[in-house]
Amino acid sequence: MSSITKLKILLVLSITFALSACDTTGTRSDTARSGNGVIQSIELVQQGGGIAGSGYGLGTVAGGVVGGILGNQVGGGTGKTVATVGGAAAGAYVGHQLEKGKTGTGNAYKFTIYMNDGSYQTLTRSTSGNFKVGDKVRIENGALYRQ
């Protein structure tokens, strides 16, 4: 295997591993316990996937890998290396844009609830559901209900 081929493989793997370290969880899943409490605050927050709602995640990584592989099929010598790197960058960009479109970046409501047992629970929902600070609520299976 030539040193240029090794360099290309190393470059593609480096990009893949660097991008795979990005947070792809989007919004945190609620692991709220069931119980009763009072809404302490409701905040309007930015919702979306990846790094601060930017959409960096699996689409970016997959796009970079596919773009790098396709770019590697073009040209020869130094031109092939440039095509591989350019393909990886272009693929990552396209994957990023596609992921941003599907992650539903927008606003959400973050509810902080003071529970009767003295703990706090935080739930994030896409709508406010006409809840207001001071409402007595029940959390059941991650859902919020008025009492």
Side-chain angles (χ1 to χ4, degrees), residues 19 21-28 45-57 60 96 99-100 103-108:
L19 292 174
C22 296
D23 179 19
T24 60
T25 58
T27 57
R28 181 180 60 83
V45 295
Q46 185 71 26
Q47 178 180 337
I51 301 170
S54 63
Y56 288 105
T60 305
H96 168 74
E99 188 167 22
K100 273 190 359 184
T103 55
T105 58
N107 292 327

Side-chain angles (χ1 to χ4, degrees), residues 2-102:
S2 73
S3 61
I4 300 242
T5 302
K6 289 179 185 177
L7 177 64
K8 287 187 257 184
I9 292 171
L10 180 61
L11 182 60
V12 170
L13 288 174
S14 297
I15 291 169
T16 302
F17 288 126
L19 292 174
S20 68
C22 296
D23 179 19
T24 60
T25 58
T27 57
R28 181 180 60 83
S29 64
D30 296 322
T31 56
R33 297 182 318 268
S34 294
N36 299 324
V38 176
I39 296 176
Q40 292 294 302
S41 68
I42 303 171
E43 297 176 57
L44 187 62
V45 295
Q46 185 71 26
Q47 178 180 337
I51 301 170
S54 63
Y56 288 105
L58 187 57
T60 305
V61 173
V65 171
V66 170
I69 291 169
L70 292 175
N72 191 36
Q73 304 301 314
V74 177
T78 305
K80 193 169 193 169
T81 303
V82 171
T84 301
V85 173
Y93 176 77
V94 170
H96 168 74
Q97 294 304 317
L98 290 172
E99 188 167 22
K100 273 190 359 184
K102 76 173 180 86

